[in-house]
Each structure stands twice: as structure tokens, then as C-alpha cells.
Amino acid sequence: MQNQIVVSNKVLIISNVNELVRIKPERVVYVESDGNYSTMVLHDKTEQVFTMNLAHCQQLIEEQLGKEAETFIRIGKQLIVNRAYIFKINPTKQQLIMSNMEVNHAFELQASKEALKQLKAYLESTIGKEAKL
């Protein structure tokens, strides 16, 4: 049986042969891939590892969350991040700091300069759009 992600009342349900995990999407800070394995890191620094490449994970998130999947942004080949946790982007240092700005937890991620430049430009372009909402 394949891993599955199903949404029920804004809860991601990640299921495989051995286990089932229920996670609220807003608790997900980022998903990092290493080949056929993806690690979902939550705001309290707990991690869930599952057998699924990042493309499959992204596809399932989009299918299950619909419009709410826009909260998650793919960065390069190895990362999907929750835009609500983006605190600092420094393309020169290839650094992305993730934090909800309410607790002392921060996550420092590495990504390519080009991917971070694109993320920065994308977020800058959405500032005006979000202000109008």
C-alpha cells in the first residue's frame, strides 16, 4: 500500500502500511526530501519521516488541500516550506530562516541562491496583492 495524504477538517492524514499520522497543516514548517524519503518537520521540532519523494508529497498536498495548498511553496529539488513560517531569506548566504515569530524555535535551512532569489521575488510580488485583500 502506498503512502497517502488525506485531508479531513484541515488535518493531513499520512498513512502507510505500518502507521497513520494526523497533522494540522498549519503545524508543518517544512518538508525536506532525500531521494525517496521525505521528512516533515513540525513547529515543535518533531519530525515525521515517510517513504515518498518530494514531487509525490507536493502532488498529494495540492490534491488534498486545494486552494489552501498555496500556503506551501516548493523551493528547489529538496524543500517545500510553509510560507507562514518564512522569517528571513538571504540568497547570498544561501540561507532561509523559518520561524513563527512567537516562540524561540527557529529552523535554518540551506537552498540554492537562485531558488532563494526566486522565493524572495515571489514573496515581494505578493505583498501588494495580500495588502489589498
Side-chain angles (χ1 to χ4, degrees):
M1 182 176 167
Q2 292 285 345
N3 287 309
Q4 295 179 333
I5 298 180
V6 181
V7 176
S8 173
N9 293 327
K10 297 186 181 182
V11 175
L12 290 172
I13 299 171
I14 303 165
S15 177
N16 65 22
V17 175
N18 299 318
E19 64 184 354
L20 182 141
V21 180
R22 298 177 70 235
I23 302 169
K24 290 186 177 184
E26 61 269 19
R27 294 187 64 209
V28 178
V29 178
Y30 66 94
V31 180
E32 187 169 35
S33 175
D34 183 12
N36 289 327
Y37 294 91
S38 293
T39 303
M40 186 175 285
V41 180
L42 306 181
H43 73 291
D44 61 1
K45 296 197 174 189
T46 59
E47 298 181 356
Q48 296 295 325
V49 179
F50 46 96
T51 308
M52 183 184 302
N53 66 31
L54 201 61
H56 189 200
C57 182
Q58 179 181 12
Q59 178 185 358
L60 290 174
I61 288 171
E62 289 170 357
E63 288 172 1
Q64 299 302 321
L65 290 180
K67 182 117 174 99
E68 292 179 34
E70 293 176 6
T71 301
F72 295 93
I73 302 171
R74 173 118 182 219
I75 301 174
K77 296 178 181 178
Q78 296 180 315
L79 282 173
I80 296 175
V81 299
N82 184 335
R83 75 168 62 207
Y85 288 91
I86 296 173
F87 176 69
K88 180 179 177 182
I89 302 169
N90 187 328
T92 306
K93 294 182 180 178
Q94 296 181 298
Q95 180 185 59
L96 175 62
I97 306 291
M98 307 290 290
S99 173
N100 68 356
M101 296 173 255
E102 295 176 8
V103 295
N104 294 327
H105 295 308
F107 305 85
E108 185 172 335
L109 306 175
Q110 300 293 313
S112 72
K113 287 181 185 180
E114 188 56 37
L116 292 175
K117 282 180 186 177
Q118 290 175 5
L119 175 64
K120 183 176 178 285
Y122 171 75
L123 292 176
E124 287 171 342
S125 75
T126 61
I127 290 170
K129 294 175 189 171
E130 291 175 357
K132 292 176 185 175
L133 295 177

